Amino acid sequence: HIPLRSITIDQVQSFKTFLLSKDGCGYSQSYAGLLFGSFRQSLEMAVNLSYLDYNISKKVKAIPKAKTVTDYWTKSEFEKVINTICINDFYEHLSFVMLWVYFMTGVRVNEGTALWWDDVDFERKRLKVHHMLIVKNKNDWHRNNYTKTADGKRTIALDNDTIKILKQWKDRQNEIGIDDFIFSYDGLPMLKSTVARIITRYSKLAGIHKIQAKGLRHSHASYLINEFNVSVLVLSNRLGHSSPEITLKHYSHMWSGLDDA
């Protein structure tokens, strides 16, 4: 009910506090930050439309994003999980390949589900990550020619074991006429929910804590840091981050133990 030009800094600060306080909305830090950000964008639109001379909300600090810790598997935990899989069964073989590739490449979930065999260079041992899959349902999907960020398009190296595993899976897929999606048992792409179900199933069988699908990406980062002391620049390029600063923001705590070593 306040005219735009009458909004004061105190009122903006009070609104920010109201979103977070238990006496107000009591929202989580991340959701309150989203709402406060929308409020700031609304006032910025008012400036663009000449309803305001300046955006007064910019004089109040934004609500910072809350730090979220994503659970991941260590190398030994990952080994226990894949040791529960019998690849004689076609679907279990797919599950094995899916878990292995995510753990060994660190691709985002929708980058992995978008992978085609054309993206794999078996001779040069490289994987091209240039697409992401947008899915409504099993039969309504789009393989977009971009990734989450502009720097997300990348080509990463593959180790010899991963190349061998992919070759064996490609031969098995070819036997039933699948020649496009890597993670597929029927020619259609794998859904994110399917990835989550596979993780849930085999982590339970292995007696290992369940992680989210994106936890496999964090598992890859942990693996490279703890096993190979990989540099932040290399990890940033592999993960497709826009800058090494983003990588440090998410994974700096994983390098902390290297000082003792």
Side-chain angles (χ1 to χ4, degrees), residues 106-117:
V107 295
R108 297 180 177 91
V109 178
N110 56 6
E111 291 172 344
T113 53
L115 289 174
W116 278 6
W117 286 112

Side-chain angles (χ1 to χ4, degrees), residues 234-254:
V234 170
L235 184 59
S236 179
N237 289 336
R238 267 186 92 79
L239 295 179
H241 286 160
S242 56
S243 71
E245 286 76 16
I246 300 295
T247 311
L248 283 172
K249 177 183 175 183
H250 290 290
Y251 302 111
S252 60
H253 63 284
M254 291 186 179

Side-chain angles (χ1 to χ4, degrees), residues 177-228:
I178 299 175
D179 55 9
D180 43 25
F181 285 106
I182 296 177
F183 302 152
S184 177
Y185 64 91
D186 56 2
L188 296 173
M190 180 180 284
L191 302 179
K192 184 177 180 180
S193 58
T194 304
V195 177
R197 281 198 300 271
I198 290 172
I199 291 172
T200 299
R201 178 186 178 190
Y202 291 107
S203 58
K204 185 177 180 180
L205 286 172
I208 297 299
H209 58 99
K210 185 180 75 170
I211 62 174
Q212 294 178 307
K214 65 180 180 180
L216 290 169
R217 177 171 167 85
H218 295 275
S219 301
H220 176 68
S222 169
Y223 175 60
L224 293 186
I225 293 169
N226 292 305
E227 295 293 322
F228 305 105

